[in-house]
Amino acid sequence: MANRIIQLPIKGYSEGFPVGNQPPLTTGYINNVFPRGALEGKIKLTQRPGFDKAFSQQIGGSACPIVAMIQMTVLD
Amino acid sequence: MAVLYDAYNSTAGGVNPWAAYKFDDNNEWYAMVWNPDNAYNISSVKFLLKKTGDPGDITVALQATSAVVKDALPKGVDLVTGEISSGQVSTANYAWVSCDFSSAYALAASSSYSLVVKATGLGAANYYNWCGDTGGITPGEPSMTAAHMAYSNDGGSNWTAYNSVGPDDIDMSFETYGAGIAPTDKKYSKKWFALGNEELWYESTAGTMAEISDARGTISTANPLTIAEAFQKIFIANQSILKVFDSATIRLVTDELGTGSVSVPARKAILSGDTSGAGMVCDFVDAATGSAYVYGYQIGSTAFVSDDTVVDVDSTTSVSFSLITAPTDPPHYYNWTPYANDTTTYGSMPSSAYIVARYRGRVVLAGHPNYPHQWYMSKIGNPWDWIYGSTDPLTAVAGNNADAGELGDIIRALIPYGDDFLVFGCAHSIHLLDGDPAFSGTIDEIDSNTGIFSPWSWCKDGDGNLYFYGSNGLYKMSGGRSKPVNFNKAHLPLLCEKWAVNPSTHRVVLVFDIQRNAILISKTTLATGANEAYWYSIETEGFYPCSFPDECGVFCGNCYNADNPDYRASLYGSATGYINKFLDTAKNDDIGASDSAISSYVAMVEHLSDDEDNEGKATSATFVLAGGASGGDFRDSDNLICEFHIADDAETCLEDMRDGATAFLTIALVSAGRKPRIRTKIRGAYLGIKLINDVVDETWGINGIFMDVKSVGKI
């Protein structure tokens, strides 16, 4: 009979305390994990969603950083 | 369900009852001309009909007419058609017979239309009778202006309107049915705008970015710059380069300003073209003499033409100039200068600035290298007026001529809160401007212990709280007004030491994720895109370390509240020119030409005994991966590698997992749902469980881990 439920570190990363006294629901070793499941939106440990292109066009036409972006509202 | 809209369906109260109008020849066409009072989508009509014999089917055609006048006749082009089968029409009695059009058609209010009725198989013994009035009936006439019957005896080539007074004033029985036209609430569009590699791009159509070719090479994206939106324009502050991207005005070209007695049109003057009759509200002129562009908001839909002489409708001014070419539609890109570049009348802009914002209808600049404590604000509602010190309460204002005063610290960020207050993020302090600086506004120092790292190192959450990366880590200002409070020290005590950021080599960007109620805090190396990041969940108040491929290194970000929900997201400007977003269904990171696997892991350290001197023994472990049964509604987890580590103390256990020590046991957890119980016995003081996935096209989620544990002997 399972008598121990392992507490998943749903509150993410913490390195401010001794490992033996880790704040509840935290861990000292985690990467690319989010606290909310994709699509259903439930609180659970899941791999983070990936980056995807919002627009297919490459700003600047080559591999140079995008330095500024903003939303603009215009009259129809 | 279709609703009755227009009708002439009763002669009650009239002098004469219905009369029957017979059409017994295939070339005899009748039409009822009318104009709807309201706009609606017409879907069907009814007529009061009877037949004799066995004529062919009736075709009903909706056509436009020439004008809303009594002489209007069918234009001859079918807008939409429908059929009445012969079987629908009775030989015994007159009855209302329905005809459905092949599709609904949007009628415009007060426009004139005709319902043309014709049939086949007609002859002396096979014909239809369509009821109409006998002419001259009042009341009972259709109330629609200029409604009347039209008749053709040559198959629609020629028509006669029966619209005269007396016997020739005839209207046919009819009813129209349809549905209202849904209201159009949308009056504005949201567009996205991005800068990179000395180029400006904007969302020309939904979901597609296009370059503004005029801007290429005019901006130095290697130098600091920020942008702000105001008045349907983007204002760009790029040190000595100050530019405007204008999405709203039309542009006229002339070379007559300042010649003879021709005056420069005043801002907001109403200008009119003498040939076209077009009008516009003048917004900006880029020169006072010689060749000049005149920008303005077009009034109505009539366009200026190249033959126009443009005058101010206020005849007391001497504004009158000819156009060189036809006007140019928006967008436009031009230098940001005082109005007409007239510094005498409209003041001088700062010669250099790289921080720009909008506050209380003013465009605000800061970041002059020689005057780093100084701030400058344009006149309210006028980004071209920089004449300071006027008695006008709307006047332009700057720190050295306002009661609010110049700041004593180097300004690094301007963070407006609507029309309420403006936060100045400085190198070692935070200040807050309350109200309008030209009218009793005051600047107070909120904090003297922390500054802000850069113009990109802040964001606001959905509740208006301000977050920024400052001198000693991450800070939150509730409501944007309260004293900054550090929120990383408890969990990330060495954040600043480990990140060791330098403005010359790193960019720290904070972006609020509007969909997930979280903040991405990213440190990116300017030269390479190499990065470290934390995801801060506002809900759990937890930090989640992230790593992205160099190609995805975040250089800027912002929330895009697009009209189309498909494009609504927080967007991130990457190191390689792509605008990225987090996509829930993406299992990899898109790095341009290919995808990169996401390396994810999490570790837990479990004390197996209640006694620090004792070991414990785990006799079974059960993992439940997300997704329920394979397939189904819930998203299925892919595979996970699970490592078990044992140590006598917690820190050694965690260290082993971090250092990649050989595990006591490694198990593959395959696919979604509850996994078979692991019955390997594991004895130790501390048990480490490490879950790992670094496989391309895979993701995972976990619902729970259950174990059977008991205390055993001494360590």
Side-chain angles (χ1 to χ4, degrees):
Chain A
M1 181 182 90
N3 59 15
R4 180 80 66 93
I5 298 174
I6 305 299
Q7 287 204 324
L8 300 175
I10 205 70
K11 286 200 166 187
Y13 180 74
S14 179
E15 60 181 13
F17 296 85
V19 177
N21 284 326
Q22 192 79 24
L25 305 177
T26 66
T27 175
Y29 189 56
I30 184 172
N31 189 51
N32 286 332
V33 175
F34 277 9
R36 187 175 285 279
L39 300 182
E40 302 100 34
K42 296 183 176 65
I43 294 285
K44 67 173 79 173
L45 279 186
T46 62
Q47 178 175 286
R48 68 162 174 84
F51 266 138
D52 193 51
K53 294 188 186 77
F55 300 91
S56 59
Q57 294 77 28
Q58 187 178 33
I59 306 303
S62 63
C64 290
I66 297 173
V67 296
M69 297 193 298
I70 200 167
Q71 169 184 288
M72 179 168 62
T73 303
V74 301
L75 271 175
D76 282 342
Chain B
M1 185 174 144
V3 173
L4 175 65
Y5 273 86
D6 300 312
Y8 183 44
N9 55 10
S10 172
T11 61
V15 175
N16 296 311
W18 291 115
Y21 290 87
K22 178 169 71 173
F23 48 111
D24 57 3
D25 186 299
N26 292 348
N27 288 320
E28 276 194 303
W29 294 11
Y30 285 84
M32 180 59 195
V33 179
W34 94 112
N35 56 293
D37 291 331
N38 301 298
Y40 61 95
N41 292 318
I42 187 171
S43 58
S44 64
V45 292
K46 286 185 180 178
F47 306 113
L48 191 57
L49 297 171
K50 181 183 172 186
K51 73 178 180 187
T52 298
D54 187 23
D57 295 339
I58 294 172
T59 297
V60 179
L62 176 71
Q63 295 185 359
T65 60
S66 47
V68 185
V69 293
K70 268 292 197 178
D71 297 328
L73 298 172
K75 273 188 169 179
V77 176
D78 295 345
L79 301 173
V80 70
T81 60
E83 300 286 325
I84 296 174
S85 68
S86 177
Q88 286 177 254
V89 183
S90 169
T91 55
N93 302 297
Y94 285 94
W96 287 95
V97 181
S98 179
C99 169
D100 293 333
F101 288 120
S102 56
S103 61
Y105 185 85
L107 301 179
S110 304
S111 294
S112 185
Y113 299 92
S114 57
L115 295 167
V116 177
V117 176
K118 55 193 172 182
T120 59
L122 299 177
N126 303 297
Y127 55 87
Y128 290 99
N129 283 315
W130 181 8
C131 284
D133 64 38
T134 56
I137 296 178
T138 56
E141 287 270 336
S143 61
M144 294 79 72
T145 306
H148 59 272
M149 182 264 275
Y151 172 78
S152 170
N153 61 6
D154 58 4
S157 297
N158 295 282
W159 290 89
T160 301
Y162 280 79
N163 54 12
S164 302
V165 175
D168 284 342
D169 181 9
I170 300 172
D171 301 284
M172 306 305 289
S173 61
F174 78 103
E175 293 176 345
T176 65
Y177 291 83
I181 296 176
T184 303
D185 293 335
K186 184 174 174 294
K187 298 296 182 189
Y188 308 94
S189 290
K190 305 271 177 54
K191 303 277 185 183
W192 195 246
F193 186 86
L195 265 157
N197 195 25
E198 303 193 350
E199 295 181 9
L200 264 65
W201 290 59
Y202 83 114
E203 193 178 5
S204 54
T205 57
T208 301
M209 299 291 287
E211 186 189 359
I212 302 154
S213 54
D214 287 348
R216 182 180 290 193
T218 66
I219 296 174
S220 176
T221 49
N223 290 333
L225 73 86
T226 59
I227 57 180
E229 183 212 7
F231 314 116
Q232 299 184 75
K233 301 172 177 62
I234 300 293
F235 292 87
I236 302 165
N238 182 209
Q239 297 187 313
S240 60
I241 300 169
L242 301 174
K243 296 288 189 182
V244 178
F245 172 72
D246 184 342
S247 69
T249 62
I250 59 170
R251 186 180 72 188
L252 309 180
V253 188
T254 182
D255 58 3
E256 295 181 357
L257 292 188
T259 61
S261 60
V262 177
S263 303
V264 174
R267 188 167 185 263
K268 299 200 177 178
I270 308 295
L271 304 180
S272 175
D274 66 340
T275 302
S276 65
M280 73 184 235
V281 179
C282 185
D283 182 59
F284 176 67
V285 179
D286 70 347
T289 59
S291 181
Y293 289 124
V294 179
Y295 298 87
Y297 298 95
Q298 183 167 313
I299 301 170
S301 58
T302 305
F304 286 89
V305 295
S306 56
D307 294 340
D308 270 327
T309 297
V310 180
V311 298
D312 190 336
V313 298
D314 178 356
S315 58
T316 63
T317 71
S318 56
V319 173
S320 176
F321 56 88
S322 302
L323 300 184
I324 296 175
T325 63
T328 309
D329 288 335
H332 307 294
Y333 176 75
Y334 46 86
N335 291 326
W336 184 8
T337 69
Y339 191 81
N341 215 2
D342 177 1
T343 56
T344 303
T345 309
Y346 298 100
S348 296
M349 296 179 64
S351 58
S352 179
Y354 76 94
I355 310 170
V356 62
R358 177 184 50 132
Y359 175 61
R360 295 181 70 90
R362 304 177 183 274
V363 186
V364 188
L365 289 169
H368 193 301
N370 297 333
Y371 310 102
H373 314 119
Q374 180 64 287
W375 48 268
Y376 313 84
M377 296 192 185
S378 74
K379 182 176 180 178
I380 290 179
N382 188 342
W384 329 112
D385 187 324
W386 297 85
I387 194 95
Y388 305 123
S390 160
T391 55
D392 178 0
L394 306 181
T395 183
V397 60
N400 59 349
N401 67 2
D403 291 342
E406 194 172 334
L407 300 177
D409 196 0
I410 297 171
I411 299 172
R412 283 187 174 168
L414 297 171
I415 307 168
Y417 269 78
D419 291 344
D420 197 8
F421 59 93
L422 174 70
V423 176
F424 289 94
C426 300
H428 304 290
S429 58
I430 305 294
H431 294 75
L432 190 144
L433 165 65
D434 230 327
D436 193 289
F439 195 75
S440 306
T442 58
I443 295 180
D444 298 313
E445 185 179 76
I446 301 298
D447 193 288
S448 60
N449 293 316
T450 184
I452 193 168
F453 182 75
S454 74
W456 308 277
S457 306
W458 64 270
C459 71
K460 300 175 195 173
D461 68 12
D463 294 330
N465 300 308
L466 175 63
Y467 301 79
F468 64 89
Y469 186 84
S471 309
N472 295 300
L474 292 164
Y475 291 84
K476 175 182 176 181
M477 291 173 64
S478 295
R481 277 188 172 274
S482 64
K483 192 172 177 63
V485 174
N486 184 287
F487 65 97
N488 71 274
K489 283 297 184 185
H491 297 299
L492 306 173
L494 299 177
L495 174 65
C496 291
E497 290 81 354
K498 288 185 176 180
W499 270 18
V501 290
N502 183 327
S504 63
T505 53
H506 302 107
R507 182 170 283 197
V508 175
V509 179
L510 273 68
V511 184
F512 175 60
D513 188 323
I514 195 171
Q515 294 167 296
R516 300 171 185 81
N517 199 26
I519 297 170
L520 180 68
I521 305 152
S522 174
K523 166 199 166 187
T524 305
T525 301
L526 296 173
T528 63
N531 58 86
E532 300 172 60
Y534 288 96
W535 184 263
Y536 177 72
S537 168
I538 293 173
E539 290 167 330
T540 67
E541 297 182 336
F543 291 90
Y544 304 83
C546 297
S547 57
F548 310 117
D550 291 357
E551 294 88 343
C552 297
V554 176
F555 277 74
C556 61
N558 226 320
C559 299
Y560 186 24
N561 192 14
D563 298 322
N564 186 332
D566 291 343
Y567 304 121
R568 200 173 295 157
S570 293
L571 302 183
Y572 306 87
S574 75
T576 53
Y578 287 104
I579 301 170
N580 289 329
K581 64 180 181 183
F582 283 114
L583 183 64
D584 285 336
T585 54
K587 298 183 178 182
N588 311 303
D589 288 323
D590 184 340
I591 58 173
S594 60
D595 288 344
S596 174
I598 297 173
S599 174
S600 58
Y601 50 80
V602 61
M604 293 142 278
V605 176
E606 191 72 14
H607 190 202
L608 293 183
S609 172
D610 294 333
D611 187 330
E612 282 293 338
D613 285 333
N614 281 2
E615 292 183 336
K617 182 189 287 185
T619 56
S620 77
T622 304
F623 291 79
V624 182
L625 299 190
S630 183
D633 282 345
F634 296 136
R635 185 176 187 181
D636 289 350
S637 175
D638 292 309
N639 309 331
L640 268 176
I641 299 296
C642 175
E643 292 182 359
F644 293 95
H645 296 256
I646 304 172
D648 289 342
D649 67 273
E651 198 147 296
T652 300
C653 194
L654 183 67
E655 190 176 50
D656 284 347
M657 290 189 286
R658 291 175 70 139
D659 293 347
T662 302
F664 171 83
L665 174 68
T666 302
I667 298 284
L669 304 173
V670 178
S671 73
R674 185 184 176 109
K675 305 294 98 190
R677 191 180 306 173
I678 299 165
R679 297 181 182 276
T680 305
K681 294 177 178 51
I682 307 172
R683 174 174 172 146
Y686 285 87
L687 173 68
I689 302 172
K690 179 178 171 182
L691 303 174
I692 310 154
N693 183 304
D694 59 4
V695 178
V696 71
D697 293 333
E698 287 193 358
T699 188
W700 59 270
I702 186 164
N703 288 340
I705 305 173
F706 316 108
M707 301 187 73
D708 192 15
V709 177
K710 60 184 178 182
S711 184
V712 292
K714 296 292 183 185
I715 294 174

